[in-house]
Amino acid sequence: MIDPMATAAVTRTLPYDWYADPAVLRVEQERIFARSWHYAARLDQVAEPGQLTTAYAGELPVVLARARDGELRGFVNVCRHRGHPLCEGDDRRETIQCPYHAWTYGLDGSLRRAPRSDREPAFDRSALGLVPVSVESFGPFVFVNPDRDAPPLADHLGDLPARLADGGLDVDALRFHRRDVADDYACNWKVCVENFLECYHCATAHPSLAKAIDVSPDAYGLEAHGLVASQIGPPKGVGAFAAGEIERGQFHLLFPGTVVNVMPGKPNLSIGPIVPRDVDRTARFLDYFVGPDVDDEWLAGYLELDEQVGREDRALVEAVQRGISSGGLEAGTLLGESEQLIAWFQSLVVGALGTDD
Ligand code: FES
Ligand SMILES: [Fe+2]
């Protein structure tokens, strides 16, 4: 749980130059993104031996592959020879061959063949396998951590799986509907995350969402445990999002940037990362899943609401980036109660970056 004293003490945001300084982003990449679990792909993309897919873990391009031995592995998607990217998208194959000079790797990452290497007495094939990353799955969701010695995904998820199950959701029964990609948000990644972490803006900025979910401060729950911040939104009890199999909205952030959303009503879940592309550029995608029996009408209504809220949020975060990078103010102000999850997030950022620089 959040320590209320620590939370109450935080009344200022991070310094605004942390949202505009490329040096801060470099440190965030090294100390946060390179050491965290990120949602990357669906398990059905790599369910069978011979299947592979590509993804990103933060800024790191990775290839996920299930080898003949049945094990799912992940590697940096860059050739050990001279750096050509290896794969793109979903594929089914026995080996990975680089398009530049045809070095060929097994799906276990080992270097199998390198043309002309037999003419090089010092060539050590065994030392030139693909660089591994950590890969684990939860339900139909595959996560990647660039750190090959990362702590287990279960440590990062904490009680999230239990919360989803307690809320009426069987994640293993979900079917994938589609992926929405938005890789061009004109803001720092932290502006996107902070906007996700409070619903203080919902009553004014998201009238359609506020009709479905009770966003008033006494009804809308905010909690943080470990690396997961959770918002629990009870339905107002009208329309398609009245309590059904799913009793409450659940909106979780897995630090630093993976969001997990569940609306009340029928079984549904969307999941995806928020990652920096540049100091003022953020990439997102969301994979939408629904339960096996969800009808098209409910799904269409759910996606329409989500797209509407997404458009409203994009306008907000891009405007905030303009405001905070204007140079007119050094920092902003946080409400201790309604914005406690932003304080949680900012304290994790500060903790990861340290205060020495
Ligand atoms: S860069 Fe991959 S084989 Fe040369
Ligand atoms: Fe919003």
Side-chain angles (χ1 to χ4, degrees), residues 78-86 98-105 115:
V78 177
C79 183
R80 290 295 306 274
H81 177 217
R82 295 221 334 271
H84 198 288
L86 292 164
C98 179
Y100 201 173
H101 312 90
W103 283 28
T104 302
Y105 304 88

Side-chain angles (χ1 to χ4, degrees), residues 30-253:
E30 276 168 32
R31 299 193 194 168
I32 297 175
F33 286 89
R35 300 175 187 177
S36 297
W37 286 102
H38 309 277
Y39 173 71
R42 308 183 315 272
L43 197 58
D44 66 74
Q45 292 175 285
V46 282
E48 293 166 17
Q51 276 188 298
L52 60 83
T53 192
T54 53
Y56 281 86
E59 64 175 349
L60 187 72
V62 295
V63 52
L64 309 173
R66 193 173 297 272
R68 281 275 153 226
D69 63 4
E71 191 166 332
L72 175 61
R73 296 180 179 85
F75 309 100
V76 177
N77 186 16
V78 177
C79 183
R80 290 295 306 274
H81 177 217
R82 295 221 334 271
H84 198 288
L86 292 164
C87 314
E88 202 180 317
D90 291 337
D91 210 343
R92 240 177 223 279
R93 46 196 315 149
E94 293 298 318
T95 56
I96 296 171
Q97 186 173 70
C98 179
Y100 201 173
H101 312 90
W103 283 28
T104 302
Y105 304 88
L107 297 189
D108 60 359
S110 61
L111 177 60
R112 298 277 175 81
R113 283 184 296 284
R116 303 190 199 178
S117 60
D118 52 346
R119 301 165 68 95
E120 306 282 337
F123 192 87
D124 182 3
R125 213 156 41 92
S126 68
L128 291 169
L130 296 178
V131 174
V133 297
S134 296
V135 184
E136 285 196 56
S137 59
F138 152 54
F141 318 122
V142 178
F143 289 77
V144 179
N145 190 322
D147 179 1
R148 60 187 292 186
D149 300 315
L153 174 65
D155 291 3
H156 192 124
L157 296 178
D159 63 0
L160 178 70
R163 275 174 172 270
L164 294 172
D166 290 349
L169 195 68
D170 175 4
V171 293
D172 292 308
L174 291 170
R175 64 183 163 90
F176 176 63
H177 176 62
R178 73 173 194 217
R179 173 175 293 189
D180 279 6
V181 180
D183 57 3
D184 60 344
Y185 279 79
C187 66
N188 183 270
W189 71 278
K190 298 189 292 299
V191 175
C192 265
V193 170
E194 290 166 4
N195 177 65
F196 178 84
L197 285 173
E198 50 90 358
C199 212
Y200 180 32
H201 71 278
C202 293
T204 46
H206 302 310
S208 47
L209 179 67
K211 274 193 198 128
I213 301 270
D214 188 346
V215 299
S216 62
D218 290 328
Y220 193 84
L222 304 171
E223 289 176 45
H225 301 270
L227 293 170
V228 181
S230 300
Q231 301 171 70
I232 305 300
K236 281 199 160 161
V238 290
F241 303 108
E245 287 167 76
I246 308 298
E247 289 166 24
R248 296 172 296 278
Q250 299 192 25
F251 312 101
H252 306 280
L253 181 94

